[in-house]
Amino acid sequence: MSGLRTFVRHNGLSLGFGGLFLLSLAGQALSGMADFNDRQLAHGVDPVGLGSYLTSSSFAVDVAENWQSEYLQFFLYVFATVWLVQRGSPESKPLSRIGTESDEDQLLGRHVQPGSPKWAKAGGWRTAVFARSLALVMGGIFLLSWLAQSVAGVAAYNAEQLSDFGDPVSWPEYLVSSDFWNRTLQNWQSEFLAIGSMAVLSVYLRQRGSPESKPVGAPHGVTDESG
């Protein structure tokens, strides 16, 4: 039992947010199905069950459009903070460390430690890939989610078009449509606002005990210091 408690304590952040994710996804599925069926009835079409809704393009596009924007946020933040700084923000590096930093700073080459990851010690292409693996994976998930959004989106859009006696469109036509870019940009703008707000507000505001905040008594101008 102590082993389970230790595991939960050591992984509380991922377990907590994983649970919140599953609960919110279930809530989205139920509320989304209710909204979808309301629209079905308004068009004189029979409502669908939960299983049918979960495999529908309507549910898939709603999920994918949120996932792609979230992973875009993380990808851009991971990549942009290599080169861009915000003086006084714990979310930023100080001016002296702009760029990819030295091998000594990054514990590479002769500076590796006994516990360093194997690919950090390997050198060559493996270290080069590992050194960029976080941004590569975040960017890859973003692109896959965006692709999924476009595929599910064209199916959902064409279903609405047919129910309204309109003409369906092809996938390339949908990619340049206002529906696709409205879905995309309404998520992107909120993510960009959230990133910028966090970077600036954390200069002047504090949350005691949070690694996303500076120590409560730290001067506003102190950069790259977490509490």
Side-chain angles (χ1 to χ4, degrees):
M1 193 65 179
S2 60
L4 177 60
R5 285 198 297 268
T6 300
F7 176 80
V8 171
R9 183 177 182 181
H10 288 182
N11 299 277
L13 195 59
S14 57
L15 291 172
F17 276 95
L20 290 172
F21 163 71
L22 293 175
L23 287 173
S24 59
L25 186 63
Q28 178 187 352
L30 294 174
S31 59
M33 181 184 69
D35 179 64
F36 181 81
N37 283 334
D38 285 344
R39 287 183 277 115
Q40 288 285 94
L41 293 171
H43 285 88
V45 182
D46 293 334
V48 301
L50 182 60
S52 296
Y53 178 69
L54 290 178
T55 57
S56 69
S57 58
S58 179
F59 178 70
V61 70
D62 288 341
V63 171
E65 73 178 59
N66 283 285
W67 286 12
Q68 60 89 4
S69 65
E70 296 299 333
Y71 280 99
L72 174 65
Q73 174 191 140
F74 287 123
F75 165 70
L76 289 180
Y77 199 69
V78 167
F79 188 76
T81 50
V82 175
W83 303 100
L84 304 180
V85 299
Q86 180 66 48
R87 183 176 182 273
S89 175
E91 302 295 316
S92 168
K93 299 190 295 185
L95 286 169
S96 60
R97 288 172 52 199
I98 290 177
T100 55
E101 304 182 13
S102 67
D103 284 355
E104 182 179 3
D105 290 331
Q106 291 294 309
L107 304 178
L108 291 173
R110 62 188 180 88
H111 304 287
V112 295
Q113 300 177 340
S116 296
K118 290 182 179 179
W119 278 40
K121 299 177 181 179
W125 68 269
R126 285 178 292 179
T127 297
V129 170
F130 184 68
R132 297 160 178 81
S133 56
L134 184 58
L136 288 172
V137 170
M138 291 294 183
I141 295 175
F142 157 67
L143 291 175
L144 290 174
S145 300
W146 202 19
L147 175 62
Q149 177 197 336
S150 70
V151 172
V154 69
Y157 180 80
N158 283 336
E160 291 185 8
Q161 285 289 96
L162 292 172
S163 67
D164 293 333
F165 303 102
D167 294 327
V169 300
S170 64
W171 181 65
E173 290 174 326
Y174 181 69
L175 289 181
V176 296
S177 70
S178 58
D179 183 82
F180 176 70
W181 284 103
N182 178 54
R183 285 180 175 273
T184 296
L185 293 174
Q186 68 179 326
N187 284 282
W188 287 9
Q189 55 86 13
S190 64
E191 303 302 337
F192 298 152
L193 176 64
I195 293 174
S197 298
M198 182 62 180
V200 174
L201 291 176
S202 60
V203 175
Y204 304 103
L205 305 179
R206 309 286 190 270
Q207 178 58 54
R208 184 170 182 167
S210 174
E212 300 303 313
S213 167
K214 292 186 290 190
V216 177
H220 291 323
V222 172
T223 309
D224 189 34
E225 182 178 339
S226 59

